[in-house]
Amino acid sequence: MEKTISFELRFINNQIKRRINSIPILQNNDIKGIYGHIIGFLSENSHRDVYQKDIEEHLSIRRSSVTNLLNQMEKAGFIERHSVDGDGRLKRVTLTQKSLDIHDSIDCELSKIEIKLREGMSEEELDTLFRLFDKIKYNVDKDYIK
């Protein structure tokens, strides 16, 4: 059977998810892998106000999915949502102390995974890989632009 891009990407994605979900700090704090990505994004952007729309765009997932994730994270004590003066519908998303306390450990573990993924690849190969990923993302998105 001929290899397909979609199968290979899905396979790699599943392997990475399994690796991330096996990180002890995530398991010990009942953090799903996607929570770690959101915590990381919020931490990296702590210098500015972050709203749900920013998370949707960063993760490229639908509003309803992000709403559900944020509801779960808020219930578990990982984030807080704060009303914005002048717009009751808009909520600023911030990390709780609980998330801040575990962020460095999560970041360290994700860095180890990234190092493992890059193992044996030259800078030139990585540049090519990321250029090809950009082309694939463009090809997927262009069909939805009308």
Side-chain angles (χ1 to χ4, degrees), residues 41 48 51-61 66:
F41 177 73
R48 68 179 184 93
Y51 304 97
Q52 178 171 329
K53 182 105 176 119
D54 299 316
I55 297 168
E56 293 167 16
E57 290 172 1
H58 175 71
L59 296 175
S60 190
I61 54 179
V66 174

Side-chain angles (χ1 to χ4, degrees), residues 7-8 11 24 42 48 56 60 96 107 122-123:
F7 178 81
E8 293 299 320
F11 180 80
L42 290 170
R48 68 179 184 93
E56 293 167 16
S60 190
T96 62
D107 199 39
S122 68
E123 285 301 316

Side-chain angles (χ1 to χ4, degrees), residues 48-87:
R48 68 179 184 93
D49 289 344
V50 176
Y51 304 97
Q52 178 171 329
K53 182 105 176 119
D54 299 316
I55 297 168
E56 293 167 16
E57 290 172 1
H58 175 71
L59 296 175
S60 190
I61 54 179
R62 293 186 181 106
R63 181 187 330 166
S64 59
S65 298
V66 174
T67 297
N68 288 334
L69 284 168
L70 294 181
N71 286 340
Q72 292 167 10
M73 290 181 74
E74 189 171 34
K75 186 176 179 182
F78 296 117
I79 61 146
E80 293 175 340
R81 289 186 268 194
H82 307 275
S83 296
V84 175
D85 292 338
D87 190 345

Side-chain angles (χ1 to χ4, degrees), residues 5 7 10 16 31 33 39 62 64 69 81 87 89-91 120 122 128 135 144:
I5 293 171
F7 178 81
R10 183 176 184 93
I16 293 169
I31 300 174
I39 290 169
R62 293 186 181 106
S64 59
L69 284 168
R81 289 186 268 194
D87 190 345
R89 298 168 296 165
L90 200 56
K91 304 265 191 232
S122 68
T128 301
K135 284 183 180 185
Y144 297 108

